[in-house]
Amino acid sequence: MDKAIVRRILDVPFRATFTDDPEQFEGQEYIYKGDSNAKSRENKIEQYCTLFDILIEYWKLYQKSNMNLFVPKSIQDRNIEYMKASDDILQFMETNFEKTDDKTDYVKFKEVFQQYKFIVYKKASMKEVREKIESNDFIDYFSEKQINGKKLKSIITGYKTVEYDGEDGGGFKSNPKYAGL
């Protein structure tokens, strides 16, 4: 995933529910008394100025804090999970290779490319796939690295090849996400 996207994405869940009858949600969190007329056109127009005034006040507080936004750990973790789920290369790697977290385990980029091309995107060039993997924050790609005294080129560390006995021809596990590509 592009590093610029990683810096800019903030996946914040809106957990609150506003209702005329909070008792029907008794025992649940984040349930608040609401107004069923809040979505009416007249009410929206009336509240635009109020909302804008509130936003201005919070903008001033944000500026006073040197433009630093506090992001709780739970939201940071949620962002990472969202980005991992949105990352096609990572999903491909996790579907077709075993992640070991052992930096001495590795797969050759050429093998990864062949499987990616076979399963996902038949028109991909080696350069396009390499660029995607190089820019991926979750995959360690090395154009050259030494492991156990052995000099290796174009490898991805922390993964092992997993063979499947599937009927898809090629012995690779297909991911339903890529069906029809």
Side-chain angles (χ1 to χ4, degrees):
M1 179 160 287
D2 186 326
K3 290 181 189 335
I5 292 172
V6 171
R7 284 192 316 268
R8 290 179 177 94
I9 287 182
L10 193 60
D11 182 25
V12 181
F14 188 77
R15 300 179 290 201
T17 299
F18 296 91
T19 178
D20 287 337
D21 185 18
E23 284 80 34
Q24 79 184 56
F25 296 97
E26 194 170 322
Q28 294 182 25
E29 290 185 288
Y30 312 111
I31 306 298
Y32 304 99
K33 178 102 174 102
D35 180 3
S36 58
N37 294 324
K39 292 184 179 180
S40 71
R41 181 170 170 76
E42 297 81 28
N43 202 17
K44 284 181 182 178
I45 291 171
E46 182 180 311
Q47 293 184 9
Y48 281 152
C49 289
T50 306
L51 177 61
F52 192 72
D53 288 341
I54 293 168
L55 290 173
I56 293 293
E57 290 306 311
Y58 277 98
W59 174 251
K60 289 175 185 175
L61 289 172
Y62 178 65
Q63 285 180 315
K64 283 181 185 175
S65 69
N66 294 325
M67 307 278 207
N68 290 326
L69 182 64
F70 171 73
V71 180
K73 175 105 173 79
S74 63
I75 299 299
Q76 291 173 7
D77 293 344
R78 182 182 169 97
N79 287 345
I80 289 170
E81 290 307 312
Y82 171 78
M83 288 182 279
K84 284 181 176 180
S86 301
D87 190 325
D88 289 343
I89 291 286
L90 182 66
Q91 292 302 309
F92 166 77
M93 291 295 293
E94 288 182 349
T95 301
N96 295 286
F97 298 90
E98 179 184 342
K99 183 155 179 64
T100 65
D101 293 323
D102 181 350
K103 297 299 178 185
T104 61
D105 287 336
Y106 65 91
V107 291
K108 293 182 179 179
F109 177 78
K110 186 176 179 181
E111 294 170 8
V112 172
F113 171 70
Q114 288 170 343
Q115 288 186 29
Y116 183 79
K117 194 167 173 117
F118 177 79
I119 295 171
V120 182
Y121 191 58
K122 301 189 178 14
K123 296 178 184 175
S125 73
M126 194 174 261
K127 181 181 177 190
E128 289 170 327
V129 177
R130 182 176 284 124
E131 286 171 355
K132 281 184 177 182
I133 288 177
E134 283 176 347
S135 67
N136 190 302
D137 284 341
F138 305 109
I139 299 173
D140 291 329
Y141 170 77
F142 295 95
S143 57
E144 194 171 292
K145 184 171 175 130
Q146 214 169 17
I147 296 178
N148 296 330
K150 189 176 173 184
K151 194 174 194 177
L152 302 165
K153 289 187 176 185
S154 296
I155 62 167
I156 299 169
T157 61
Y159 287 90
K160 290 194 300 191
T161 303
V162 175
E163 295 281 334
Y164 294 95
D165 295 330
E167 297 176 16
D168 61 352
F172 309 124
K173 183 177 179 184
S174 61
N175 187 332
K177 179 177 181 178
Y178 305 121
L181 291 178

